[in-house]
Amino acid sequence: GQQVMQIPQYQHVQEGEDFTTYCNSSTTLSNIQWYKQRPGGHPVFLIQLVKSGEVKKQKRLTFQFGEAKKNSSLHITATQTTDVGTYFCAGPMRSSSNTGKLIFGQGTTLQVKP
Amino acid sequence: DTGVSQNPRHKITKRGQNVTFRCDPISEHNRLYWYRQTLGQGPEFLTYFQNEAQLEKSRLLSDRFSAERPKGSFSTLEIQRTEQGDSAMYLCASSLAGRGLAGSYNEQFFGPGTRLTVL
């Protein structure tokens, strides 16, 4: 079946270090979304990428969609303690027919040591 | 607060009991989704409504689970004869079909979730 995988599952960094999480889909995706979930919180939408090779930036966060539209990455430059949380990528479920149903990766949990 | 709300936030029940959760989406959103999330995993799709119509139900959802969205507003998720394996966070999300405010399609807004513990 359709799968979305993320690596690494956990990452501990020193404040100020960079962080990258990678997302791989078993199928080509029409778009990919990224969400952040703080400890004890709920997923919050960060961004959506639609075009092959697309790169978008939000301050210290850089999101990339692969040329084949099967992988994506999120890079955080100079992490801060406010970046702590779990980052999920999500793509439309294969049968979704633009219903917006998403299949999520298992997430990468980021811990930042001050 | 104009976000998605869910009630109750926590529910502890004994195995075999029935439970019902409520979700109030963002008022102008016509799409509503239920997800289940267990520790260390991403949200897992359960069911989806467009307005009041339940258009899809995951194969993971047994017949003990039922969801409704009367009048296309709030939604309820009922679990009958709960089992310990039902223990999880149940998340509701809503979205607007088409392009959202940020220019994205089907951006989903999640509620705080209902944490279910079945003893």
Side-chain angles (χ1 to χ4, degrees), chain A residues 8 13 19 29 40 42 76 93 114:
Chain A
V13 299
F19 159 76
L29 300 171
H42 56 276
I76 303 178
M93 293 179 75

Side-chain angles (χ1 to χ4, degrees), chain A residues 17-54:
Chain A
E17 291 181 340
D18 292 356
F19 159 76
T20 304
T21 174
Y22 299 92
C23 175
N24 291 286
S25 170
S26 60
T27 61
T28 301
L29 300 171
S30 60
N31 67 83
I32 195 154
Q33 300 183 21
W34 285 89
Y35 290 79
K36 177 182 178 181
Q37 187 171 23
R38 294 181 186 274
H42 56 276
V44 174
F45 175 84
L46 294 177
I47 208 160
Q48 182 185 59
L49 304 170
V50 178
K51 299 176 185 175
S52 169
E54 187 170 13

